[in-house]
Amino acid sequence: MTHEKMREMLSKDEKITIEYKECVNQIHDSVYETVSAFSNRYGGYIIMGVKDGGIPIGVNRNAVKDLKKNFVNQLNNPNKMSPTLYLSIEEFEYEGMLLLYTYVPPTSTVEKCSGRVYDRNEEGDMDITDSPIQMENLYARKSNTYTESKLFPYVREEHLRTDLMQKVRRLISNNNPRHEWLKMSDKELMVSAGLYETDFVTGEQGYNLAAILLFGKDEVIQSCVPGYVTDALCRKENMDRYDDRLIVKTNLIESYEILMEFIAKHTSDKFYLVDNVRTSVRDLISREVVSNILVHRDFSSAFPAKVIIEKDWIRTENWCRPRRQGNILETEFTPYPKNPILARFFVTVGLADTIGSGVRNLYKYTPIYTPGGKPELIENDVFRINIPITETAVHEYAEENELTERETTIFKMIKANNKLTVEEVMAVLDISRATVFRDYAKIRKKCGVSYDKKAGEWKL
């Protein structure tokens, strides 16, 4: 979150993706209603310490610790939120006041607050529990968006690897020894995690695709998701084929371990002091790369996900449903989970951090592992991550992303005038319209700028 983005969100009235809450000393119940509404619509930001109209008043600094603790506890209380959620509250200093904010991603399942279902419109949060038409529209909207929530009513417990539950509970205990899931039976945990659902339109009940991907036996996974495979390649000597290869088709929990071991086998480990703790930065980067390729892919596509280790790079590819096109920059990134059930599960068991933190972590740890290096995250139909692991890769990246003299001139013109027109560039530089558009495309890729056609202006 940047100061400019916060100012922009406070400069307007509440809208469908932004909600202000005063919450000076405590979290009000209406906050959880908004969490439900955002989850059931497009997602959005809840900003606490702000009055209606976007007027910041700040929260009580002495109450921040309790506010955060109570927020997390309520989200993990199945009597309050169902399915339970894993969100975090971030602190933000704004004009001498402390604000709290949280980003609520849209979910693939219908999110309930105290047994009621809320939806979001421009006026605020609506309780639609007793409206059959609105409920039907909500379920239809979600079922068309997320493949992970597809039900398989004939999948039974004998089709699942129930032995993995012991490993899952151990991971949860290491991450949060007081988590509610540790008190539940296997079936209760599945329901709370959103892995066993009821379709209130058709009346069907059963395990969904997310449950099968996490706990399914290998033959069941291949039957339900025939295109699911992750191809791990090491290409350092033999560039035409490979030096080492793994075809990974098992459940996501064990796939995570297999892919982490593959990267560890073929890359050097570098330990650094992070917050005064000796830490493997390689493992921190691998964790983000592997969790992303397993959790945020589109499982409806037969496009094989790939982890490719080269002499100078770690690269990944997976099919996705893009929300935007082009590079993802740390300062402009808005988190959007492609598979929120799986993302929430990975966060809860400690195999990933909160939604959106993966991008921040890659930008944080890549230059520590490789001095001068930056991650490249490109979102299109195929989502690609490129991590430089040698100085050679850093120089290669710099050459590819360095602006030419003419592109630098145009970029300076954009920074000086965000409503710069093609005609103005043509007149100043005496170049053709096609050349301007070609340079624009390179500048957008290299500098992360974007052009808003409706507003007719550039955004830096």
Side-chain angles (χ1 to χ4, degrees):
M1 178 68 70
T2 63
H3 200 81
E4 291 72 21
K5 184 175 178 72
M6 180 62 76
R7 182 185 294 113
E8 179 184 355
M9 289 198 294
L10 296 179
S11 65
K12 303 173 183 178
D13 291 332
E14 294 173 332
K15 55 183 181 180
I16 199 165
T17 57
I18 296 177
E19 176 76 16
Y20 308 136
K21 301 290 185 183
E22 294 189 19
C23 298
V24 176
N25 295 300
Q26 62 180 351
I27 304 289
H28 304 311
D29 284 343
S30 62
V31 169
Y32 304 106
E33 296 173 2
T34 302
V35 169
S36 169
F38 277 167
S39 297
N40 291 332
R41 183 58 67 163
Y42 305 125
Y45 285 92
I46 301 174
I47 309 174
M48 304 175 206
V50 180
K51 295 175 65 175
D52 290 345
I55 302 171
I57 58 175
V59 300
N60 183 349
R61 293 177 185 271
N62 296 325
V64 168
K65 185 176 180 179
D66 287 337
L67 287 171
K68 288 184 172 182
K69 179 180 178 181
N70 293 337
F71 182 73
V72 172
N73 287 342
Q74 287 290 68
L75 292 183
N76 284 281
N77 177 3
N79 294 322
K80 187 67 175 180
M81 303 300 300
S82 178
T84 55
L85 291 172
Y86 196 107
L87 306 176
S88 62
I89 292 181
E90 304 291 339
E91 300 179 24
F92 193 87
E93 290 286 345
Y94 186 82
E95 298 181 354
M97 291 170 282
L98 180 63
L99 307 181
L100 301 177
Y101 74 91
T102 185
Y103 177 75
V104 182
T107 59
S108 58
T109 55
V110 172
E111 189 66 40
K112 298 178 183 178
C113 173
S114 299
R116 309 294 293 179
V117 177
Y118 293 85
D119 199 359
R120 185 76 176 174
N121 66 7
E122 294 290 348
E123 283 72 43
D125 308 322
M126 302 183 301
D127 185 343
I128 64 170
T129 313
D130 300 321
S131 173
I133 294 178
Q134 289 177 306
M135 287 291 290
E136 183 174 349
N137 289 338
L138 174 59
Y139 277 98
R141 186 171 70 242
K142 286 183 176 290
S143 64
N144 290 333
T145 304
Y146 300 98
T147 56
E148 65 169 354
S149 59
K150 179 181 178 181
L151 290 184
F152 290 82
Y154 295 108
V155 170
R156 300 285 184 259
E157 186 175 324
E158 59 265 26
H159 299 123
L160 304 178
R161 289 272 308 278
T162 54
D163 60 294
L164 290 173
M165 276 295 181
Q166 183 177 355
K167 177 179 290 188
V168 165
R169 286 190 168 86
R170 185 172 66 252
L171 291 170
I172 295 172
S173 181
N174 293 338
N175 192 44
N176 181 1
R178 290 180 289 185
H179 197 280
E180 290 289 332
W181 287 0
L182 296 174
K183 307 173 187 176
M184 299 179 183
S185 66
D186 291 355
K187 188 62 172 291
E188 288 172 338
L189 191 155
M190 286 285 202
V191 173
S192 181
L195 304 176
Y196 188 92
E197 296 186 66
T198 299
D199 187 328
F200 289 98
V201 176
T202 65
E204 283 187 324
Q205 287 185 322
Y207 294 103
N208 56 26
L209 179 59
I212 294 167
L213 288 165
L214 287 167
F215 292 99
K217 294 179 179 178
D218 290 359
E219 62 272 18
V220 177
I221 294 174
Q222 290 305 305
S223 175
C224 297
V225 205
Y228 166 67
V229 63
T230 303
D231 195 356
L233 297 165
C234 176
R235 286 180 180 151
K236 292 186 177 181
E237 303 298 332
N238 190 338
M239 301 303 295
D240 293 329
R241 287 177 56 80
Y242 49 81
D243 307 321
D244 192 10
R245 185 180 191 182
L246 284 178
I247 303 294
V248 184
K249 296 183 178 182
T250 194
N251 62 82
L252 297 182
I253 297 170
E254 292 180 329
S255 291
Y256 176 90
E257 297 173 345
I258 293 170
L259 293 172
M260 287 289 288
E261 290 173 0
F262 187 84
I263 294 176
K265 178 182 177 182
H266 295 291
T267 57
S268 61
D269 206 358
K270 300 178 182 180
F271 286 90
Y272 294 89
L273 286 178
V274 178
D275 298 327
N276 293 321
V277 178
R278 191 168 182 264
T279 305
S280 169
V281 177
R282 189 272 314 277
D283 287 351
L284 292 174
I285 293 172
S286 301
R287 180 175 185 258
E288 303 301 343
V289 167
V290 171
S291 62
N292 178 80
I293 201 172
L294 292 178
V295 169
H296 297 296
R297 64 204 277 181
D298 181 4
F299 292 99
S300 66
S301 169
F303 182 88
K306 299 183 184 70
V307 176
I308 305 170
I309 300 174
E310 300 174 355
K311 182 178 180 181
D312 302 312
W313 297 87
I314 297 175
R315 305 183 190 274
T316 68
E317 297 179 0
N318 62 273
W319 194 264
C320 79
R321 296 181 180 182
R323 295 279 290 183
R324 48 163 289 172
Q325 302 286 328
N327 287 1
I328 295 178
L329 301 180
E330 181 183 18
T331 56
E332 297 180 353
F333 174 61
T334 299
Y336 180 84
K338 306 302 189 298
N339 297 297
I341 295 177
L342 292 173
R344 184 168 65 246
F345 190 91
F346 261 56
V347 169
T348 302
V349 301
L351 300 183
D353 287 336
T354 53
I355 303 300
S357 61
V359 171
R360 294 193 297 270
N361 287 340
L362 287 177
Y363 272 95
K364 176 180 178 180
Y365 294 118
T366 299
I368 296 176
Y369 186 79
T370 310
K374 290 196 301 184
E376 188 176 34
L377 300 95
I378 305 170
E379 183 170 16
N380 286 302
D381 288 339
V382 176
F383 190 98
R384 291 182 169 88
I385 297 178
N386 299 313
I387 305 292
I389 57 177
T390 65
E391 290 185 8
T392 301
V394 174
H395 295 317
E396 179 183 329
Y397 179 85
E399 290 176 1
E400 290 180 356
N401 290 275
E402 186 176 347
L403 295 176
T404 65
E405 183 177 348
R406 188 178 65 219
E407 291 165 358
T408 300
T409 300
I410 296 175
F411 185 47
K412 289 179 179 178
M413 294 171 67
I414 291 172
K415 290 195 290 185
N417 174 18
N418 69 336
K419 292 186 178 293
L420 183 70
T421 64
V422 174
E423 289 72 19
E424 289 173 320
V425 178
M426 292 170 59
V428 171
L429 299 180
D430 191 24
I431 56 179
S432 68
R433 180 179 294 272
T435 300
V436 176
F437 281 119
R438 192 161 53 245
D439 287 348
Y440 275 178
K442 293 179 181 178
I443 291 169
R444 280 196 294 267
K445 177 184 178 183
K446 297 176 182 180
C447 302
V449 298
S450 60
Y451 185 74
D452 187 334
K453 292 183 179 179
K454 292 184 178 179
E457 63 183 25
W458 288 91
K459 294 185 177 180
L460 301 179

